[in-house]
Amino acid sequence: MTTELNGTFGNFGGTYLPEFLAEILGNLAEKYDELKVTEEFQNDLKELYKNYAGRPSLLYFAERLTNELGGAKIYLKREDLNHTGAHKINNVIGQGLVAKSLGSKKLIAETGAGQHGVATATIAAYLNLDCDIYMGARDIDAQKPNVYRMKALGANVIPVTAGQGTLKDAVDVALGAYAQDNVDSYYLLGSAVGPHPYPTMVRDFQKIIGEEIRAQILEKEGKLPKAIIACAGGGSNALGAFTAFIPDEQVELVAVEPAGLGADTAKHGLALGQGKPDTLHGFKTLVLQDEAGNIKESYSAASGLDYPGISPILSMLKENGRLTLGEATDKEAVDAFIALSHLEGIIPALESAHAVAYLFQDHQKYTNPEDIIVINLSGRGDKDVEYVFENLL
Ligand SMILES: *Cc1c(COP(=O)(O)O)cnc(C)c1O
């Protein structure tokens, strides 16, 4: 069911960029197609997943959470236990190896709250590459710990003062810098979004999550799960968890988007739930629009979910009827953040808490104790505790 021609996914994806940038990314797509089938590349990838990221991550039976909800057996896929504390390391390992194979000397990335910047700076240090992280000046002020992490790792953090001084402006400036210096540098994108070949590459590097879930659950339970639940910002951890199960129609794939202050307010990030087809950052997908048809800003207390678009691959899966759409508000996510911490001694990232919140709301759907539910716990919540206690409780 996956039509995948030149990075087109059904009615979505593709490349909508000025010619010179489209040409640079066309070359990258060709190189990646050659590289991904080589044994050396695949061996290097496996080696770093194992010995750098710490894979395979645990598939953990959440017994107290299961008893609390009183239905299906709930497992957590522990991406929070990876090096740097989230699934983002899988992607930067893969793209870092692509950059190294291309002979790049420098990684360029943009970051909002800093999580993707820290992951990129980490792999740059490991691979001995220079690293320029573009970050909105306002975000730099708001996210000091991540700025210091990136600096400790040897990255240059470059403030962007253009526009509002936030992520959107940082993307524009970072892309400009890459266009200037594309021979020696590599643009490392953080989610399964953007023009071809990024959605394909990021999906390929994250799909290890679902491949592991499949092997682990078959070993523990001897059958496939009833549902896999993941939060969706850009969509990379969701696609990572879902991809290995797309052909298994009996496995429900639930993408939980941030409902922010409420699905019926102007402040949310429900791109799959409420978006319209549009182009954004060089690709076509479902995008939040206002009544006049202009792209609308998204909102979520979880900065990793705060994006007005979504992966074109998830847009296609929705259109094909293969996705279940879920949503959780800031408040529901915070409640789930506290509940999981109390019940299991595991503090989830506020992003991941959206997936947990879905189950708290919709567990009546899964009452059969013979069934198995897997929640993809995309990251750990250390980064969020201060914000939750000072702003959200
Ligand atoms: C960045 C991030 C996300 C959102 O990104 P996706 O591409 O949608 O996965 C979710 N969870 C955590 C912990 C993150 O750091």
Side-chain angles (χ1 to χ4, degrees):
M1 70 188 289
T2 318
T3 39
E4 210 169 297
L5 206 62
N6 290 323
T8 316
F9 301 93
N11 294 317
F12 305 103
T15 306
Y16 298 80
L17 287 172
E19 189 129 357
F20 68 102
L21 264 177
E23 207 168 296
I24 294 168
L25 293 185
N27 288 334
L28 173 60
E30 258 174 51
K31 299 261 172 57
Y32 174 64
D33 278 343
E34 289 165 18
L35 197 58
K36 73 180 179 193
V37 293
T38 67
E39 205 167 311
E40 191 189 352
F41 182 78
Q42 290 300 331
N43 286 341
D44 288 351
L45 190 60
K46 274 188 210 137
E47 164 72 17
L48 286 192
Y49 279 160
K50 180 162 180 241
N51 290 315
Y52 195 63
R55 307 205 69 87
S57 65
L58 291 177
L59 186 69
Y60 163 85
F61 173 46
E63 193 171 357
R64 289 195 61 213
L65 178 60
T66 299
N67 291 341
E68 175 83 10
L69 296 181
K73 272 180 117 167
I74 302 162
Y75 280 85
L76 305 178
K77 180 59 171 166
R78 300 288 309 276
E79 291 299 296
D80 61 308
L81 295 176
N82 296 337
H83 177 44
T84 71
H87 69 294
K88 287 192 168 69
I89 193 76
N90 305 324
N91 173 43
V92 297
I93 284 175
Q95 289 195 56
L97 287 173
V98 170
K100 198 84 184 175
S101 307
L102 295 175
S104 308
K105 309 263 185 311
K106 187 202 286 181
L107 300 181
I108 294 178
E110 82 292 326
T111 196
Q115 294 303 113
H116 174 55
V118 170
T120 304
T122 300
I123 203 68
Y126 176 84
L127 294 171
N128 192 22
L129 298 168
D130 292 337
C131 186
D132 286 353
I133 303 294
Y134 290 82
M135 193 167 179
R138 278 211 216 162
D139 290 335
I140 287 181
D141 282 339
Q143 306 289 344
K144 287 241 170 64
N146 276 340
V147 172
Y148 290 135
R149 277 184 197 114
M150 289 184 264
K151 289 187 172 170
L153 291 160
N156 305 308
V157 180
I158 301 168
V160 175
T161 50
Q164 309 280 310
T166 59
L167 177 64
K168 197 169 131 295
D169 311 296
V171 173
D172 294 338
V173 177
L175 270 175
Y178 175 53
Q180 295 274 313
D181 186 20
N182 67 84
V183 178
D184 282 329
S185 62
Y186 176 90
Y187 193 91
L188 205 161
L189 222 145
S191 188
V193 296
H196 184 58
Y198 289 106
T200 302
M201 277 200 291
V202 177
R203 185 268 323 267
D204 291 353
F205 299 140
Q206 293 292 358
K207 74 181 189 329
I208 183 74
I209 300 172
E211 290 167 354
E212 287 177 6
I213 293 173
R214 174 181 282 275
Q216 289 166 321
I217 205 71
L218 286 176
E219 189 183 318
K220 284 174 198 286
E221 299 279 354
K223 62 178 177 188
L224 295 182
K226 171 100 175 151
I228 302 178
I229 305 172
C231 66
S236 72
N237 87 87
L239 280 167
F242 297 166
T243 297
F245 296 93
I246 290 173
D248 303 292
E249 298 278 347
Q250 76 274 26
V251 180
E252 186 184 13
L253 306 175
V254 186
V256 184
E257 294 191 289
L261 300 185
D264 51 0
T265 71
K267 295 254 199 182
H268 60 74
L270 303 171
L272 288 168
Q274 296 190 11
K276 303 261 161 46
D278 202 343
T279 53
L280 169 75
H281 296 144
F283 71 112
K284 193 167 173 199
T285 193
L286 294 172
V287 183
L288 294 179
Q289 292 182 348
D290 62 19
E291 270 150 32
N294 300 312
I295 292 175
K296 195 173 85 172
E297 278 196 27
S298 56
Y299 165 82
S300 171
S303 56
L305 303 182
D306 192 355
Y307 186 62
I310 188 79
S311 175
I313 308 177
L314 286 177
S315 290
M316 177 190 72
L317 290 172
K318 182 206 165 183
E319 204 166 80
N320 291 348
R322 187 65 189 90
L323 280 191
T324 298
L325 302 189
E327 54 186 58
T329 62
D330 287 357
K331 167 133 196 354
E332 289 161 341
V334 170
D335 290 346
F337 175 95
I338 297 294
L340 189 71
S341 302
H342 284 197
L343 282 167
E344 296 290 346
I346 296 170
I347 305 176
L350 201 48
E351 289 83 2
S352 324
H354 285 70
V356 180
Y358 172 82
L359 197 55
F360 272 98
Q361 299 159 49
D362 286 62
H363 63 277
Q364 300 88 344
K365 277 173 70 181
Y366 312 106
T367 47
N368 185 347
E370 301 294 312
D371 284 341
I372 298 156
I373 307 290
V374 177
I375 300 177
N376 194 36
L377 210 72
S378 54
R380 67 177 180 229
D382 308 40
K383 67 182 179 56
D384 298 313
V385 281
E386 185 179 335
Y387 185 72
V388 166
F389 276 85
E390 295 193 355
N391 299 284
L392 298 174
L393 280 180

